[in-house]
Amino acid sequence: MLRIWKWYQSCLSLHPVKTQIISSGFLWGIGDVAAQYITHSTAKKRLQYHKDDDNEFKVNWKRVAVTSMFGFGFVGPVGHFWYEELDKFIKMRLLLRPKSARFVAAKVAMDGLIFGPFDLFVFFTYMGFSAGKSTAQVKEDVKRDFLPALILEGGVWPIVQCLFVMD
């Protein structure tokens, strides 16, 4: 595992954007498979399947591909430049020392308040249009799902970020 991590770090230093694009697409795909499995397992436990239904877990590969493309096409490249510029801003404008508690707090707060909502909006819009929904349907989905997702993201993502920013 250490060898793989060192190889990844080497790729990241030689080709940062390309590596983050590929990593992001791959991770978004894995995340979608996990989300599909969790959804299936939850429905199965709540007995939402009829006895006659085939309740074996099957991956929706089209959805995985669409979700992975969001990672490849948006999160990888946009995220790379966002975090690069955010680091510069915090170091140069706010004059905070990297990896200090104040630096981490500023980075997590700014990311959650600026990029988080933008990322979620783009995600819901992209997924809606990718599913063939109309503009009115996409707007309705965003109205319904945006705030709960933002609240959930705000409770989970800062913890994850703190672990990686302090690394």
Side-chain angles (χ1 to χ4, degrees):
M1 192 60 128
L2 186 58
R3 187 181 297 168
I4 293 171
W5 182 249
K6 285 183 181 181
W7 172 78
Y8 175 76
Q9 291 293 337
S10 171
C11 289
L12 206 50
S13 65
L14 293 171
H15 308 285
V17 178
K18 203 183 302 183
T19 302
Q20 289 187 332
I21 288 170
I22 293 167
S23 300
S24 183
F26 181 72
L27 290 172
W28 273 82
I30 289 173
D32 189 61
V33 171
Q36 289 182 43
Y37 181 76
I38 290 167
T39 301
H40 173 81
S41 297
T42 303
K44 192 174 178 181
K45 285 179 185 170
R46 291 186 179 169
L47 301 172
Q48 292 180 351
Y49 289 108
H50 299 292
K51 290 181 183 176
D52 298 341
D53 289 346
D54 180 18
N55 61 5
E56 188 176 313
F57 175 65
K58 292 181 184 129
V59 176
N60 177 343
W61 291 108
K62 181 182 177 192
R63 187 178 118 172
V64 172
V66 168
T67 305
S68 291
M69 289 308 297
F70 182 73
F72 284 125
F74 179 75
V75 177
V78 173
H80 169 79
F81 293 110
W82 162 253
Y83 289 113
E84 191 174 75
E85 292 303 313
L86 184 59
D87 280 352
K88 285 181 192 173
F89 177 80
I90 295 170
K91 281 187 252 180
M92 306 296 200
R93 297 283 188 170
L94 301 181
L95 303 173
L96 298 176
R97 189 174 37 87
K99 301 193 184 200
S100 67
R102 291 183 72 193
F103 181 93
V104 172
K107 186 172 183 177
V108 171
M110 292 175 82
D111 186 55
L113 294 171
I114 300 167
F115 189 69
F118 175 68
D119 177 54
L120 269 178
F121 176 77
V122 172
F123 174 74
F124 283 130
T125 303
Y126 165 78
M127 291 303 287
F129 286 129
S130 295
K133 293 182 177 182
S134 69
T135 302
Q137 291 170 313
V138 170
K139 282 182 182 178
E140 200 55 43
D141 288 352
V142 169
K143 271 205 251 179
R144 181 191 65 232
D145 298 335
F146 182 80
L147 194 55
L150 187 63
I151 291 167
L152 180 62
E153 181 180 271
V156 174
W157 192 237
I159 297 165
V160 173
Q161 283 184 306
C162 285
L163 295 173
F164 286 103
V165 173
M166 292 299 280
D167 181 21

